[in-house]
Amino acid sequence: MSDIIIRPITADDDAAIAAIIRANLEAYQLDIPGTAYFDPELDHLSVYYGAAPDRRAYFILTNAAGTVLGGAGLAEFPGLDACAELQKIYLIDSAKGKGLGAALVRAVEARARELGYRRLYLETHTALDAAIRLYERLGYQRIEQPVPTAHTTMDRFYLKEL
């Protein structure tokens, strides 16, 4: 992991991370309405997260050569007090199973704390079993759906106190 870099997203990363997110969702037949696949900001994540740096952040994971391997972000979640949502955490297949997803989540958690959030919420799908195992291993607790969400296909909801 010494040749891995986690850094804020730039406009140069937008196409690569959008492709990674779409490929992951396609692999699980989740390239359907009600998922991040159709989020209007997906092709311009740097603009979306950069528009409110006091409430949002997105991190890109690269290798030493600068190849984008994945990313994860956070944005204010109005459904719960002092809460942000862990968003769009995806990796290329060759980066999975190496602890890189956990490293991304920890970077998001650290930034959430810096921004004053006291908890992180996330939503996922039962088909994403590896992601669910990661979240549970990192201390996220399954909860009932707290409020109606934009990603209506998601059917598992988690919360972690920071």
Side-chain angles (χ1 to χ4, degrees):
M1 282 210 356
S2 61
D3 62 342
I4 297 300
I5 298 162
I6 297 175
R7 59 167 175 75
I9 193 171
T10 69
D12 291 339
D13 303 315
D14 284 344
I17 194 63
I20 290 168
I21 292 169
R22 286 191 176 104
N24 271 272
L25 291 168
E26 289 165 3
Y28 288 91
Q29 291 76 51
L30 291 172
D31 51 336
I32 57 176
T35 69
Y37 197 90
F38 290 100
D39 283 0
E41 71 272 2
L42 188 57
D43 290 307
H44 307 284
L45 290 181
S46 64
V47 173
Y48 174 77
Y49 287 96
D54 59 327
R55 296 187 321 273
R56 302 178 191 153
Y58 198 86
F59 295 96
I60 293 293
L61 178 107
T62 70
N63 61 18
T67 303
V68 175
L69 305 177
L74 70 94
E76 185 174 34
F77 184 69
L80 298 168
D81 184 48
C83 187
E85 180 180 5
L86 176 62
Q87 299 179 332
K88 296 176 179 63
I89 176 166
Y90 293 96
L91 297 169
I92 63 170
D93 287 346
S94 64
K96 294 176 182 174
K98 299 177 180 177
L100 301 177
L104 273 170
V105 171
R106 287 186 192 104
V108 170
E109 289 174 351
R111 184 65 182 139
R113 283 185 201 95
E114 290 171 3
L115 293 175
Y117 294 112
R118 294 192 317 266
R119 59 187 76 146
L120 273 176
Y121 163 83
L122 70 88
E123 50 197 41
T124 189
H125 191 275
T126 52
L128 303 173
D129 56 334
I132 290 170
R133 285 193 306 276
L134 170 68
Y135 302 140
E136 291 177 352
R137 191 171 65 248
L138 293 175
Y140 288 80
Q141 302 293 316
R142 188 168 178 195
I143 62 170
E144 294 298 317
Q145 184 176 358
V147 295
T149 62
H151 297 136
T152 55
T153 300
M154 299 297 104
D155 61 1
R156 296 283 296 262
F157 309 92
Y158 287 85
L159 190 67
K160 180 177 180 177
E161 298 292 328
L162 298 175

